[in-house]
Amino acid sequence: DIRKFEIELYWKRATYFWVFTGAALAAYLTALTGSDLQSRSQALLLTSCIGLVFAVAWYFVNRASKFWQLNWEVHVDLLENDVNGPAYKTVLIDPAPWWKLHGPYPFSVSKINQILSLFVVAVFALLLINTLNEHYTLSTELALFPTACVSITLICLMLLVWLGRVGKPKTNVSMQLRETIIKKYQRNGD
């Protein structure tokens, strides 16, 4: 049930990030093609920064979801033989090659989504670099808006990397089962 719950949350998170990255991309394209826009460069910079932050967050959330999915799959692998036999460990082996377009293939949906989110990160990074290159110049006199926008974006990305982790990654991981004692509940006077 926990594994099913994690998968359900995975798709809710994916939808959440698709909406925000799609909106950022649509806003960027609108700013790029809009004829009435007075501060096009600022709109392009702002939307590419927002898109980059959401794309990086989506990539990290995809990696975290994959971690927790794997965590619960390992739990099931450890416990399932004693409960109902190797139902989840038994996997269909289809000899069909991957290029057989009408046949099944064991692609990982979460890995594909993770790679797709990394692609979106690259797209927004390129949009940001292109916007900075075409509309802004590096000088000793810093313009407030672009400097603040890029600085806040970099700070936010660093916070996602440093503060977004559960804990320090470990190479040697050990697991231990907790001991749980269940006592029968009794009312007063019984």
Side-chain angles (χ1 to χ4, degrees):
D1 284 344
I2 292 173
R3 184 178 179 274
K4 285 191 283 186
F5 177 68
E6 285 294 331
I7 291 170
E8 182 182 328
L9 284 179
Y10 174 81
W11 287 111
K12 285 181 181 178
R13 290 180 197 121
T15 303
Y16 169 84
F17 282 105
W18 265 114
V19 168
F20 279 104
T21 55
L25 186 58
Y28 187 90
L29 294 174
T30 300
L32 188 65
T33 59
S35 59
D36 295 343
L37 198 61
Q38 291 179 355
S39 56
R40 177 184 319 278
S41 59
Q42 289 182 348
L44 292 171
L45 181 62
L46 182 62
T47 56
S48 60
C49 286
I50 290 170
L52 181 62
V53 169
F54 273 96
V56 169
W58 181 34
Y59 171 70
F60 288 164
V61 166
N62 281 332
R63 289 188 66 185
S65 293
K66 185 66 179 170
F67 172 84
W68 290 110
Q69 175 191 354
L70 182 61
N71 178 65
W72 292 115
E73 286 175 359
V74 169
H75 280 272
V76 170
D77 285 349
L78 291 172
L79 300 173
E80 75 173 326
N81 285 348
D82 295 336
V83 177
N84 64 342
Y88 287 100
K89 288 182 214 162
T90 306
V91 179
L92 172 69
I93 303 290
D94 187 357
W98 70 271
W99 60 82
K100 185 178 175 184
L101 299 179
H102 64 280
Y105 195 79
F107 286 109
S108 168
V109 175
S110 57
K111 285 181 184 177
I112 288 172
N113 207 19
Q114 193 172 336
I115 293 166
L116 181 62
S117 63
L118 191 56
F119 171 76
V120 174
V121 168
V123 166
F124 276 108
L126 289 173
L127 290 176
L128 176 59
I129 290 167
N130 185 60
T131 300
L132 290 171
N133 188 41
E134 284 193 16
H135 298 280
Y136 296 96
T137 57
L138 191 60
S139 69
T140 54
E141 294 181 24
L142 298 177
L144 180 62
F145 181 79
T147 303
C149 203
V150 171
S151 297
I152 290 170
T153 299
L154 292 174
I155 289 168
C156 190
L157 292 175
M158 288 187 292
L159 289 173
L160 287 172
V161 171
W162 289 327
L163 300 179
R165 291 183 282 168
V166 172
K168 291 184 180 181
K170 298 178 181 174
T171 54
N172 294 326
V173 177
S174 62
M175 297 176 78
Q176 176 180 340
L177 295 175
R178 295 185 293 216
E179 183 177 329
T180 304
I181 300 171
I182 300 173
K183 294 182 178 181
K184 189 173 181 179
Y185 174 74
Q186 293 181 354
R187 288 197 229 179
N188 291 338
D190 286 343

mmCIF file of all heavy atoms in Angstrom, residues 59-95:
data_model
loop_
_atom_site.group_PDB
_atom_site.id
_atom_site.type_symbol
_atom_site.label_atom_id
_atom_site.label_comp_id
_atom_site.label_asym_id
_atom_site.label_seq_id
_atom_site.Cartn_x
_atom_site.Cartn_y
_atom_site.Cartn_z
ATOM 1 N N TYR A 59 13.504 17.805 -11.527
ATOM 2 C CA TYR A 59 14.521 16.762 -11.692
ATOM 3 C C TYR A 59 14.877 16.150 -10.331
ATOM 4 O O TYR A 59 14.950 14.933 -10.188
ATOM 5 C CB TYR A 59 15.757 17.350 -12.380
ATOM 6 C CG TYR A 59 16.920 16.405 -12.402
ATOM 7 C CD1 TYR A 59 16.901 15.259 -13.190
ATOM 8 C CD2 TYR A 59 18.056 16.649 -11.635
ATOM 9 C CE1 TYR A 59 17.967 14.385 -13.215
ATOM 10 C CE2 TYR A 59 19.130 15.780 -11.655
ATOM 11 C CZ TYR A 59 19.077 14.650 -12.440
ATOM 12 O OH TYR A 59 20.141 13.784 -12.448
ATOM 13 N N PHE A 60 15.079 16.999 -9.333
ATOM 14 C CA PHE A 60 15.416 16.488 -7.998
ATOM 15 C C PHE A 60 14.267 15.682 -7.397
ATOM 16 O O PHE A 60 14.480 14.656 -6.755
ATOM 17 C CB PHE A 60 15.798 17.632 -7.060
ATOM 18 C CG PHE A 60 17.135 18.257 -7.355
ATOM 19 C CD1 PHE A 60 17.469 19.484 -6.827
ATOM 20 C CD2 PHE A 60 18.079 17.623 -8.161
ATOM 21 C CE1 PHE A 60 18.696 20.074 -7.074
ATOM 22 C CE2 PHE A 60 19.313 18.196 -8.426
ATOM 23 C CZ PHE A 60 19.616 19.426 -7.875
ATOM 24 N N VAL A 61 13.040 16.151 -7.588
ATOM 25 C CA VAL A 61 11.875 15.424 -7.074
ATOM 26 C C VAL A 61 11.750 14.064 -7.772
ATOM 27 O O VAL A 61 11.417 13.060 -7.138
ATOM 28 C CB VAL A 61 10.586 16.271 -7.216
ATOM 29 C CG1 VAL A 61 9.339 15.436 -7.022
ATOM 30 C CG2 VAL A 61 10.619 17.429 -6.226
ATOM 31 N N ASN A 62 12.036 14.028 -9.069
ATOM 32 C CA ASN A 62 12.018 12.743 -9.782
ATOM 33 C C ASN A 62 13.061 11.785 -9.217
ATOM 34 O O ASN A 62 12.798 10.588 -9.048
ATOM 35 C CB ASN A 62 12.258 12.948 -11.274
ATOM 36 C CG ASN A 62 11.026 13.415 -11.991
ATOM 37 O OD1 ASN A 62 9.904 13.134 -11.588
ATOM 38 N ND2 ASN A 62 11.222 14.136 -13.074
ATOM 39 N N ARG A 63 14.243 12.298 -8.931
ATOM 40 C CA ARG A 63 15.287 11.442 -8.350
ATOM 41 C C ARG A 63 14.886 10.972 -6.955
ATOM 42 O O ARG A 63 15.106 9.816 -6.593
ATOM 43 C CB ARG A 63 16.617 12.190 -8.303
ATOM 44 C CG ARG A 63 17.204 12.382 -9.687
ATOM 45 C CD ARG A 63 18.578 12.942 -9.642
ATOM 46 N NE ARG A 63 19.501 11.972 -9.037
ATOM 47 C CZ ARG A 63 20.766 12.242 -8.779
ATOM 48 N NH1 ARG A 63 21.265 13.422 -9.074
ATOM 49 N NH2 ARG A 63 21.544 11.337 -8.236
ATOM 50 N N ALA A 64 14.286 11.854 -6.181
ATOM 51 C CA ALA A 64 13.841 11.477 -4.837
ATOM 52 C C ALA A 64 12.728 10.438 -4.911
ATOM 53 O O ALA A 64 12.717 9.469 -4.145
ATOM 54 C CB ALA A 64 13.356 12.714 -4.079
ATOM 55 N N SER A 65 11.803 10.630 -5.839
ATOM 56 C CA SER A 65 10.716 9.658 -5.996
ATOM 57 C C SER A 65 11.264 8.291 -6.369
ATOM 58 O O SER A 65 10.807 7.262 -5.867
ATOM 59 C CB SER A 65 9.728 10.129 -7.061
ATOM 60 O OG SER A 65 9.060 11.279 -6.640
ATOM 61 N N LYS A 66 12.255 8.270 -7.245
ATOM 62 C CA LYS A 66 12.877 7.011 -7.642
ATOM 63 C C LYS A 66 13.555 6.356 -6.442
ATOM 64 O O LYS A 66 13.509 5.137 -6.258
ATOM 65 C CB LYS A 66 13.879 7.252 -8.778
ATOM 66 C CG LYS A 66 14.489 5.996 -9.329
ATOM 67 C CD LYS A 66 13.445 5.147 -10.016
ATOM 68 C CE LYS A 66 14.057 3.887 -10.594
ATOM 69 N NZ LYS A 66 13.050 2.950 -11.051
ATOM 70 N N PHE A 67 14.189 7.170 -5.599
ATOM 71 C CA PHE A 67 14.827 6.650 -4.389
ATOM 72 C C PHE A 67 13.808 5.972 -3.481
ATOM 73 O O PHE A 67 14.008 4.853 -3.017
ATOM 74 C CB PHE A 67 15.539 7.774 -3.625
ATOM 75 C CG PHE A 67 16.046 7.331 -2.282
ATOM 76 C CD1 PHE A 67 17.267 6.683 -2.170
ATOM 77 C CD2 PHE A 67 15.298 7.543 -1.133
ATOM 78 C CE1 PHE A 67 17.730 6.256 -0.939
ATOM 79 C CE2 PHE A 67 15.751 7.120 0.102
ATOM 80 C CZ PHE A 67 16.972 6.472 0.204
ATOM 81 N N TRP A 68 12.679 6.661 -3.219
ATOM 82 C CA TRP A 68 11.690 6.104 -2.304
ATOM 83 C C TRP A 68 10.969 4.913 -2.920
ATOM 84 O O TRP A 68 10.610 3.965 -2.229
ATOM 85 C CB TRP A 68 10.709 7.186 -1.841
ATOM 86 C CG TRP A 68 11.401 8.144 -0.925
ATOM 87 C CD1 TRP A 68 11.727 9.440 -1.184
ATOM 88 C CD2 TRP A 68 11.916 7.855 0.376
ATOM 89 N NE1 TRP A 68 12.399 9.971 -0.125
ATOM 90 C CE2 TRP A 68 12.530 9.030 0.853
ATOM 91 C CE3 TRP A 68 11.924 6.723 1.190
ATOM 92 C CZ2 TRP A 68 13.137 9.098 2.096
ATOM 93 C CZ3 TRP A 68 12.534 6.802 2.429
ATOM 94 C CH2 TRP A 68 13.129 7.970 2.882
ATOM 95 N N GLN A 69 10.775 4.937 -4.240
ATOM 96 C CA GLN A 69 10.193 3.781 -4.912
ATOM 97 C C GLN A 69 11.113 2.577 -4.733
ATOM 98 O O GLN A 69 10.652 1.486 -4.378
ATOM 99 C CB GLN A 69 10.000 4.076 -6.397
ATOM 100 C CG GLN A 69 9.505 2.882 -7.191
ATOM 101 C CD GLN A 69 9.563 3.112 -8.694
ATOM 102 O OE1 GLN A 69 9.870 4.194 -9.157
ATOM 103 N NE2 GLN A 69 9.288 2.075 -9.442
ATOM 104 N N LEU A 70 12.399 2.768 -4.957
ATOM 105 C CA LEU A 70 13.367 1.690 -4.792
ATOM 106 C C LEU A 70 13.414 1.227 -3.337
ATOM 107 O O LEU A 70 13.503 0.024 -3.059
ATOM 108 C CB LEU A 70 14.753 2.152 -5.255
ATOM 109 C CG LEU A 70 15.872 1.126 -5.195
ATOM 110 C CD1 LEU A 70 15.553 -0.071 -6.078
ATOM 111 C CD2 LEU A 70 17.186 1.763 -5.620
ATOM 112 N N ASN A 71 13.321 2.166 -2.419
ATOM 113 C CA ASN A 71 13.314 1.820 -0.997
ATOM 114 C C ASN A 71 12.178 0.853 -0.675
ATOM 115 O O ASN A 71 12.387 -0.177 -0.023
ATOM 116 C CB ASN A 71 13.176 3.104 -0.165
ATOM 117 C CG ASN A 71 13.117 2.821 1.322
ATOM 118 O OD1 ASN A 71 14.068 2.342 1.909
ATOM 119 N ND2 ASN A 71 11.973 3.128 1.931
ATOM 120 N N TRP A 72 10.969 1.168 -1.145
ATOM 121 C CA TRP A 72 9.827 0.301 -0.842
ATOM 122 C C TRP A 72 9.882 -1.000 -1.630
ATOM 123 O O TRP A 72 9.432 -2.039 -1.145
ATOM 124 C CB TRP A 72 8.509 1.045 -1.068
ATOM 125 C CG TRP A 72 8.359 2.125 -0.049
ATOM 126 C CD1 TRP A 72 8.325 3.468 -0.268
ATOM 127 C CD2 TRP A 72 8.294 1.960 1.372
ATOM 128 N NE1 TRP A 72 8.242 4.150 0.915
ATOM 129 C CE2 TRP A 72 8.212 3.246 1.950
ATOM 130 C CE3 TRP A 72 8.298 0.863 2.237
ATOM 131 C CZ2 TRP A 72 8.139 3.462 3.312
ATOM 132 C CZ3 TRP A 72 8.215 1.084 3.601
ATOM 133 C CH2 TRP A 72 8.139 2.362 4.124
ATOM 134 N N GLU A 73 10.462 -0.987 -2.814
ATOM 135 C CA GLU A 73 10.633 -2.234 -3.553
ATOM 136 C C GLU A 73 11.589 -3.173 -2.835
ATOM 137 O O GLU A 73 11.370 -4.382 -2.797
ATOM 138 C CB GLU A 73 11.119 -1.950 -4.977
ATOM 139 C CG GLU A 73 10.033 -1.385 -5.863
ATOM 140 C CD GLU A 73 10.526 -0.978 -7.237
ATOM 141 O OE1 GLU A 73 11.740 -1.117 -7.519
ATOM 142 O OE2 GLU A 73 9.695 -0.519 -8.034
ATOM 143 N N VAL A 74 12.632 -2.629 -2.231
ATOM 144 C CA VAL A 74 13.565 -3.455 -1.452
ATOM 145 C C VAL A 74 12.849 -4.020 -0.225
ATOM 146 O O VAL A 74 13.025 -5.190 0.119
ATOM 147 C CB VAL A 74 14.824 -2.647 -1.049
ATOM 148 C CG1 VAL A 74 15.660 -3.393 -0.022
ATOM 149 C CG2 VAL A 74 15.653 -2.330 -2.288
ATOM 150 N N HIS A 75 12.024 -3.218 0.417
ATOM 151 C CA HIS A 75 11.246 -3.714 1.561
ATOM 152 C C HIS A 75 10.355 -4.877 1.144
ATOM 153 O O HIS A 75 10.285 -5.893 1.834
ATOM 154 C CB HIS A 75 10.380 -2.596 2.162
ATOM 155 C CG HIS A 75 11.127 -1.680 3.058
ATOM 156 N ND1 HIS A 75 11.294 -1.909 4.400
ATOM 157 C CD2 HIS A 75 11.763 -0.523 2.793
ATOM 158 C CE1 HIS A 75 11.997 -0.922 4.936
ATOM 159 N NE2 HIS A 75 12.295 -0.071 3.984
ATOM 160 N N VAL A 76 9.668 -4.719 0.020
ATOM 161 C CA VAL A 76 8.798 -5.784 -0.467
ATOM 162 C C VAL A 76 9.625 -7.020 -0.803
ATOM 163 O O VAL A 76 9.244 -8.147 -0.452
ATOM 164 C CB VAL A 76 7.976 -5.314 -1.697
ATOM 165 C CG1 VAL A 76 7.264 -6.476 -2.363
ATOM 166 C CG2 VAL A 76 6.964 -4.258 -1.273
ATOM 167 N N ASP A 77 10.773 -6.824 -1.469
ATOM 168 C CA ASP A 77 11.635 -7.956 -1.796
ATOM 169 C C ASP A 77 12.081 -8.710 -0.546
ATOM 170 O O ASP A 77 12.157 -9.939 -0.541
ATOM 171 C CB ASP A 77 12.876 -7.495 -2.571
ATOM 172 C CG ASP A 77 12.571 -7.155 -4.019
ATOM 173 O OD1 ASP A 77 11.451 -7.474 -4.487
ATOM 174 O OD2 ASP A 77 13.446 -6.569 -4.675
ATOM 175 N N LEU A 78 12.369 -7.980 0.519
ATOM 176 C CA LEU A 78 12.827 -8.623 1.756
ATOM 177 C C LEU A 78 11.712 -9.387 2.464
ATOM 178 O O LEU A 78 11.954 -10.406 3.097
ATOM 179 C CB LEU A 78 13.407 -7.576 2.718
ATOM 180 C CG LEU A 78 14.723 -6.923 2.296
ATOM 181 C CD1 LEU A 78 15.061 -5.771 3.233
ATOM 182 C CD2 LEU A 78 15.847 -7.944 2.270
ATOM 183 N N LEU A 79 10.496 -8.897 2.354
ATOM 184 C CA LEU A 79 9.398 -9.456 3.140
ATOM 185 C C LEU A 79 8.451 -10.376 2.376
ATOM 186 O O LEU A 79 7.760 -11.181 2.977
ATOM 187 C CB LEU A 79 8.579 -8.311 3.750
ATOM 188 C CG LEU A 79 9.339 -7.364 4.674
ATOM 189 C CD1 LEU A 79 8.462 -6.188 5.056
ATOM 190 C CD2 LEU A 79 9.828 -8.100 5.907
ATOM 191 N N GLU A 80 8.404 -10.281 1.050
ATOM 192 C CA GLU A 80 7.343 -10.955 0.320
ATOM 193 C C GLU A 80 7.418 -12.470 0.352
ATOM 194 O O GLU A 80 6.386 -13.131 0.315
ATOM 195 C CB GLU A 80 7.278 -10.458 -1.128
ATOM 196 C CG GLU A 80 8.361 -10.961 -2.032
ATOM 197 C CD GLU A 80 8.132 -10.552 -3.472
ATOM 198 O OE1 GLU A 80 6.979 -10.464 -3.909
ATOM 199 O OE2 GLU A 80 9.139 -10.323 -4.154
ATOM 200 N N ASN A 81 8.587 -13.074 0.395
ATOM 201 C CA ASN A 81 8.667 -14.538 0.413
ATOM 202 C C ASN A 81 7.924 -15.123 1.608
ATOM 203 O O ASN A 81 7.265 -16.152 1.494
ATOM 204 C CB ASN A 81 10.118 -15.006 0.413
ATOM 205 C CG ASN A 81 10.762 -14.842 -0.945
ATOM 206 O OD1 ASN A 81 10.090 -14.583 -1.930
ATOM 207 N ND2 ASN A 81 12.068 -14.975 -0.986
ATOM 208 N N ASP A 82 8.022 -14.459 2.754
ATOM 209 C CA ASP A 82 7.355 -14.947 3.959
ATOM 210 C C ASP A 82 5.852 -14.689 3.925
ATOM 211 O O ASP A 82 5.089 -15.385 4.596
ATOM 212 C CB ASP A 82 7.947 -14.284 5.206
ATOM 213 C CG ASP A 82 9.407 -14.665 5.414
ATOM 214 O OD1 ASP A 82 9.817 -15.733 4.910
ATOM 215 O OD2 ASP A 82 10.128 -13.891 6.061
ATOM 216 N N VAL A 83 5.402 -13.697 3.179
ATOM 217 C CA VAL A 83 3.989 -13.321 3.190
ATOM 218 C C VAL A 83 3.195 -13.999 2.074
ATOM 219 O O VAL A 83 2.192 -14.658 2.323
ATOM 220 C CB VAL A 83 3.841 -11.781 3.102
ATOM 221 C CG1 VAL A 83 2.382 -11.375 3.038
ATOM 222 C CG2 VAL A 83 4.532 -11.117 4.283
ATOM 223 N N ASN A 84 3.623 -13.831 0.826
ATOM 224 C CA ASN A 84 2.833 -14.375 -0.276
ATOM 225 C C ASN A 84 3.669 -14.963 -1.413
ATOM 226 O O ASN A 84 3.177 -15.139 -2.512
ATOM 227 C CB ASN A 84 1.882 -13.306 -0.843
ATOM 228 C CG ASN A 84 2.617 -12.146 -1.466
ATOM 229 O OD1 ASN A 84 3.794 -11.956 -1.206
ATOM 230 N ND2 ASN A 84 1.934 -11.374 -2.285
ATOM 231 N N GLY A 85 4.924 -15.230 -1.181
ATOM 232 C CA GLY A 85 5.771 -15.773 -2.225
ATOM 233 C C GLY A 85 6.352 -14.673 -3.092
ATOM 234 O O GLY A 85 6.046 -13.497 -2.910
ATOM 235 N N PRO A 86 7.166 -15.028 -4.072
ATOM 236 C CA PRO A 86 7.890 -14.027 -4.863
ATOM 237 C C PRO A 86 7.058 -13.385 -5.980
ATOM 238 O O PRO A 86 7.457 -13.392 -7.140
ATOM 239 C CB PRO A 86 9.059 -14.833 -5.428
ATOM 240 C CG PRO A 86 8.516 -16.211 -5.561
ATOM 241 C CD PRO A 86 7.571 -16.397 -4.397
ATOM 242 N N ALA A 87 5.921 -12.817 -5.654
ATOM 243 C CA ALA A 87 5.042 -12.231 -6.671
ATOM 244 C C ALA A 87 5.674 -11.017 -7.347
ATOM 245 O O ALA A 87 5.602 -10.880 -8.563
ATOM 246 C CB ALA A 87 3.707 -11.834 -6.045
ATOM 247 N N TYR A 88 6.288 -10.115 -6.594
ATOM 248 C CA TYR A 88 6.869 -8.903 -7.173
ATOM 249 C C TYR A 88 8.255 -9.155 -7.753
ATOM 250 O O TYR A 88 8.724 -8.387 -8.582
ATOM 251 C CB TYR A 88 6.937 -7.777 -6.135
ATOM 252 C CG TYR A 88 5.585 -7.195 -5.830
ATOM 253 C CD1 TYR A 88 4.889 -7.563 -4.688
ATOM 254 C CD2 TYR A 88 4.984 -6.294 -6.702
ATOM 255 C CE1 TYR A 88 3.625 -7.043 -4.424
ATOM 256 C CE2 TYR A 88 3.732 -5.767 -6.446
ATOM 257 C CZ TYR A 88 3.064 -6.139 -5.303
ATOM 258 O OH TYR A 88 1.832 -5.622 -5.049
ATOM 259 N N LYS A 89 8.917 -10.204 -7.304
ATOM 260 C CA LYS A 89 10.242 -10.521 -7.828
ATOM 261 C C LYS A 89 10.164 -11.278 -9.150
ATOM 262 O O LYS A 89 11.145 -11.354 -9.865
ATOM 263 C CB LYS A 89 11.023 -11.385 -6.826
ATOM 264 C CG LYS A 89 11.474 -10.646 -5.614
ATOM 265 C CD LYS A 89 12.266 -11.586 -4.734
ATOM 266 C CE LYS A 89 12.006 -11.214 -3.302
ATOM 267 N NZ LYS A 89 12.357 -12.235 -2.378
ATOM 268 N N THR A 90 9.012 -11.833 -9.444
ATOM 269 C CA THR A 90 8.844 -12.585 -10.687
ATOM 270 C C THR A 90 8.478 -11.611 -11.793
ATOM 271 O O THR A 90 7.426 -10.976 -11.764
ATOM 272 C CB THR A 90 7.741 -13.648 -10.525
ATOM 273 O OG1 THR A 90 8.049 -14.458 -9.387
ATOM 274 C CG2 THR A 90 7.630 -14.512 -11.756
ATOM 275 N N VAL A 91 9.384 -11.472 -12.770
ATOM 276 C CA VAL A 91 9.225 -10.471 -13.822
ATOM 277 C C VAL A 91 9.203 -11.166 -15.177
ATOM 278 O O VAL A 91 9.992 -12.070 -15.438
ATOM 279 C CB VAL A 91 10.390 -9.451 -13.775
ATOM 280 C CG1 VAL A 91 10.248 -8.414 -14.869
ATOM 281 C CG2 VAL A 91 10.449 -8.788 -12.414
ATOM 282 N N LEU A 92 8.304 -10.741 -16.028
ATOM 283 C CA LEU A 92 8.187 -11.258 -17.378
ATOM 284 C C LEU A 92 9.447 -10.922 -18.171
ATOM 285 O O LEU A 92 9.912 -9.783 -18.160
ATOM 286 C CB LEU A 92 6.965 -10.629 -18.064
ATOM 287 C CG LEU A 92 6.787 -10.900 -19.552
ATOM 288 C CD1 LEU A 92 6.428 -12.375 -19.774
ATOM 289 C CD2 LEU A 92 5.705 -10.004 -20.115
ATOM 290 N N ILE A 93 9.994 -11.910 -18.829
ATOM 291 C CA ILE A 93 11.139 -11.688 -19.715
ATOM 292 C C ILE A 93 10.629 -11.842 -21.141
ATOM 293 O O ILE A 93 10.249 -12.925 -21.560
ATOM 294 C CB ILE A 93 12.272 -12.718 -19.459
ATOM 295 C CG1 ILE A 93 12.726 -12.694 -18.015
ATOM 296 C CG2 ILE A 93 13.427 -12.481 -20.431
ATOM 297 C CD1 ILE A 93 13.472 -11.456 -17.611
ATOM 298 N N ASP A 94 10.593 -10.725 -21.872
ATOM 299 C CA ASP A 94 10.138 -10.756 -23.257
ATOM 300 C C ASP A 94 11.370 -10.682 -24.152
ATOM 301 O O ASP A 94 12.131 -9.717 -24.072
ATOM 302 C CB ASP A 94 9.210 -9.580 -23.533
ATOM 303 C CG ASP A 94 8.571 -9.654 -24.910
ATOM 304 O OD1 ASP A 94 8.887 -10.592 -25.668
ATOM 305 O OD2 ASP A 94 7.768 -8.774 -25.212
ATOM 306 N N PRO A 95 11.568 -11.672 -24.993
ATOM 307 C CA PRO A 95 12.761 -11.656 -25.840
ATOM 308 C C PRO A 95 12.701 -10.644 -26.986
ATOM 309 O O PRO A 95 13.658 -10.526 -27.740
ATOM 310 C CB PRO A 95 12.816 -13.085 -26.388
ATOM 311 C CG PRO A 95 11.401 -13.551 -26.374
ATOM 312 C CD PRO A 95 10.737 -12.852 -25.209
#
